[in-house]
Amino acid sequence: MSEFCLIAQHFAAATAAHCDTVVGIGDDAAISQPPVGCQLVSCLDTLVAGRHFPLSTSAFAIGWKSVAVNLSDLAAMGATPYAILLGISLPSADEVWLGEFSRGLGAVCQRFGVQLIGGDTTKSDTLTISVTALGWVPNGQAICRRGAQVGDVVCVSGNIGSASFALQQVLRNASSDLQEALDLPVPHVALGQALRGFASSMIDVSDGLAQDLGHILAASAVGARLNLAAIPSHLRLQHLPNAEKWQHQLNGGDDYQLCFTIARDKLAEFEQMHSELSQHIYPIGEIIAGSAMQLFDGQTRVHLTTQGYQHF
């Protein structure tokens, strides 16, 4: 199958016209028209088989996740997703696999109103997927990592550690009721947009809560005090010994929840204005002076080694 036939047969559903696209797939490059008063937000993630997902992962889940992880990055900036570009290197043009992969990719694109506007396909010994995601944010309203202030509340948008636990079960050849958290993460796009003007800093949890929150602390030149007992987790993790649970939560990664800081009065205001979204906000600590991340279980100081996902 030629590259162009492959695109036409398997990815047509994700290329539906978008009002911001002047020229989509079919030319040397795509042309987009940014909405008036908006800035372009862009990100790229590469997933390598056996490195970023187990070889047993379904094609549908790989297609979904390859897009979802990028939309999570856009959400962490407060952006509205617009389009993706897909680069995929395939060991072979397996019709069945491609059908399921494109179905997963199309499903997440359709859910979040995203258009596939370009990309590239090639042959390679290792399955590798690179997705570039584009989004819009009103001028000057992007939420960056560098705005945390002493006294801000540290919050997350949902359960932490579920994907890490599910991956552990996969590597042990055991089934897990948390498999969906690993394979089909749902980016918190609506919450990210709603937090514009409220959150002082934000990041998505991809490489472990401790490591990713650490990026906010470094960029903002502040420290944090976390209450480990306040970090939300699935019931399955709550039955684990604390040391094991905290390992999944602090170092595991792949959750794609939002972690953000917000002034206490802004948090109260947000909860009043966005009651339907406030259920996704879980305060887990506060920003303090200094540069350290202090961990507590209630009033007891806990000393743990924190090291998130390492790419090399």
Side-chain angles (χ1 to χ4, degrees), residues 117-290:
I117 61 172
D120 189 32
T121 59
T122 188
K123 183 176 174 61
S124 172
D125 292 336
T126 303
L127 172 63
T128 305
I129 304 112
S130 291
V131 171
T132 296
L134 310 174
W136 313 121
V137 67
N139 289 341
Q141 293 188 34
I143 306 170
C144 300
R145 301 176 180 180
R146 61 178 180 267
Q149 301 291 319
V150 173
D152 283 356
V153 182
V154 179
C155 300
V156 292
S157 62
N159 289 339
I160 303 294
S162 297
S164 174
F165 178 82
L167 178 59
Q168 180 188 75
Q169 298 304 101
V170 170
L171 297 178
R172 292 175 176 175
N173 295 314
S175 62
S176 172
D177 52 355
L178 293 177
Q179 191 67 38
E180 191 169 297
L182 175 64
D183 289 346
L184 303 172
V186 179
H188 288 268
V189 172
L191 178 60
Q193 294 169 4
L195 283 167
R196 294 195 303 250
F198 289 93
S200 54
S201 67
M202 188 152 61
I203 194 170
D204 76 326
V205 181
S206 56
D207 294 332
L209 175 61
Q211 180 166 295
D212 290 323
L213 175 57
H215 294 318
I216 286 180
L217 303 185
S220 304
V222 293
R225 173 177 171 142
L226 297 188
N227 179 7
L228 297 175
I231 300 174
S233 64
H234 187 274
L235 184 62
R236 184 67 182 83
L237 271 73
Q238 293 173 22
H239 293 304
L240 299 175
N242 278 340
E244 186 176 352
K245 179 181 70 173
W246 294 335
Q247 169 64 29
H248 287 299
Q249 291 181 317
L250 295 175
N251 297 328
D254 239 14
D255 289 301
Y256 300 101
Q257 300 290 347
L258 296 179
C259 176
F260 59 94
T261 61
I262 184 169
R264 292 187 183 277
D265 59 339
K266 288 279 191 178
L267 177 56
E269 182 183 351
F270 182 90
E271 290 174 336
Q272 288 184 336
M273 291 181 62
H274 299 279
S275 58
E276 76 285 0
L277 293 174
S278 62
Q279 60 184 314
H280 298 293
I281 293 180
Y282 299 85
I284 62 170
E286 65 177 336
I287 296 298
I288 60 176

